[in-house]
Amino acid sequence: MAISLVAYIREFARWEWARKFLAARTAPLVIPPYFRNYPELTGKTCTHHLFCMMACPAPGAIDVIRTPEGWQPRIHIGHCIRCGLCVEACPNGVLSSGRILESMFRDNTRLSFSFKIDVDLDKCMGCGNCAVACPVNKLIDAQMSHGGRASTDDLLLKLSDGKCRVLHVEKCTGCKTCEHHCPNEAISVARLLEAVHAPEEVP
Amino acid sequence: MTFLQKVKNFVRSRSIHVAYVDVGSCNGCDIEVLACLSPRYDIEQYGIFVHNNPREADILLVIGAYTPGWEEKLRGLWEKIPPPKAAIAIGNCPISGCLFARPHTLVDPPVAKHIPIAAQVPGCPPRPTEILSAILSVAPAIFADYEVKTK
């Protein structure tokens, strides 16, 4: 009894024990390497496809700016939600975050984009701003008249019978210029993201 | 610096009472603040105590994108906190409104327009590690030598 009491006191009177008892902390708080943090530049060349901006769900989180070295995506901390969609959407692997690029390479997956243009004919008043503003239209028919009327049917958007018609939706690049130029919020562009496995062709 | 001031600095850096207020978020950041209390991060080993009473708090964690229901309320809540005090914005919402800052929404970010914000922790949501290190780095900087600074 007495011996065990002495052993007990001796054990707990040690300086190391007291220091550990009073100043113990959990392991240093570090962010693990696999954490999907803010995207960082890998140094590969950006080709200005803007898929990162299209995939981004947070307003104002990413933009692509022109620097003396070329185009460069820029992440805005405070807006970015660290979802990693820009990393997955980039066809060139300009951005990297956590292990997204590694797992995409291992699983052979890719995000594919398609676009759907929806025109609310009740709201459309036929001003033709969308068709004139559309950069795809501008490439096909640079001579497009002010009201959005044109002779060719190869266009993405065209005005006929006083309403906006979508002719070739597969030509859409998803820039949403028409949506921004519509005074009546009649036209809306949906960007459909699809994760595809083992794609045959690289966009 | 007097001995009393040194004692005050020591105590204040090891006893931080925290109140949190959610001014309209998705609850993601609330869950991360809750995770700080869990054994893995264990906010109380640093002397931080989540008390949730502004009258006894030193630090206010503001979460959310400031919905109209908080007009006139958040300011009053901030004034209830006795000085020295600091407010920390947790997450993207109080900084920029995050996903809620779109046309035709009623939110009014940033929260810094309404109460003075001492630090911002970006992220949607931020890691508990980031919340903890923000509190631990802001609190001593603001509370140290408070009586000397305000004299």
Side-chain angles (χ1 to χ4, degrees), chain A residues 7 10 18 35 37 45 55 60 70 73 80 99 117 125 129 137 147 152-153 160 170 174 197-198 201:
Chain A
R10 211 190 247 166
F35 177 59
N37 214 326
T45 315
C80 176
R99 291 178 181 166
I117 303 177
M125 52 189 191
N129 280 4
N137 274 4
T152 170
D153 272 348
S160 57
E170 73 277 0
H197 179 61
E201 51 167 340

Side-chain angles (χ1 to χ4, degrees), chain A:
Chain A
M1 170 70 190
I3 294 170
S4 71
L5 198 65
V6 167
Y8 192 83
I9 291 168
R10 211 190 247 166
E11 170 66 21
F12 293 112
R14 281 188 299 127
W15 171 239
E16 292 84 32
W17 188 91
R19 204 180 56 180
K20 202 172 170 187
F21 181 78
L22 293 172
R25 295 273 187 271
T26 49
L29 300 169
V30 289
I31 291 173
Y34 52 81
F35 177 59
R36 205 175 53 207
N37 214 326
Y38 294 109
E40 288 164 355
L41 296 173
T42 55
K44 291 189 180 151
T45 315
C46 173
T47 49
H48 200 243
H49 275 95
L50 300 182
F51 283 148
C52 51
M53 284 176 75
M54 288 182 201
C56 184
I62 188 168
D63 53 11
V64 182
I65 51 162
R66 193 179 202 124
T67 60
E69 292 88 48
W71 293 102
Q72 204 175 58
R74 197 172 50 163
I75 307 289
H76 293 279
I77 290 172
H79 295 255
C80 176
I81 65 168
R82 303 193 273 206
C83 63
L85 277 177
C86 52
V87 177
E88 285 187 61
C90 183
N92 302 314
V94 175
L95 296 164
S96 83
S97 165
R99 291 178 181 166
I100 295 176
L101 283 181
E102 292 162 44
S103 61
M104 273 176 70
F105 182 74
R106 192 184 59 230
D107 303 339
N108 198 12
T109 54
R110 184 169 290 279
L111 280 185
S112 98
F113 279 86
S114 53
F115 308 103
K116 191 170 169 290
I117 303 177
D118 199 28
V119 184
D120 189 343
L121 290 179
D122 294 334
K123 280 186 185 170
C124 180
M125 52 189 191
C127 64
N129 280 4
C130 51
V132 175
C134 179
V136 178
N137 274 4
K138 219 161 263 171
L139 285 179
I140 300 167
D141 183 6
Q143 306 295 321
M144 180 176 247
S145 67
H146 177 65
R149 283 171 298 276
S151 50
T152 170
D153 272 348
D154 289 341
L155 295 165
L156 173 57
L157 292 167
K158 191 182 162 182
L159 241 74
S160 57
D161 307 333
K163 295 283 180 190
C164 174
R165 310 279 172 195
V166 183
L167 298 174
H168 292 280
V169 75
E170 73 277 0
K171 288 183 181 172
C172 182
T173 56
C175 65
K176 291 203 176 189
T177 310
C178 50
E179 201 178 305
H180 295 142
H181 282 78
C182 182
N184 221 11
E185 294 178 2
I187 192 165
S188 60
V189 181
R191 294 163 175 167
L192 306 173
L193 259 86
E194 218 176 340
V196 287
H197 179 61
E200 290 88 23
E201 51 167 340
V202 175

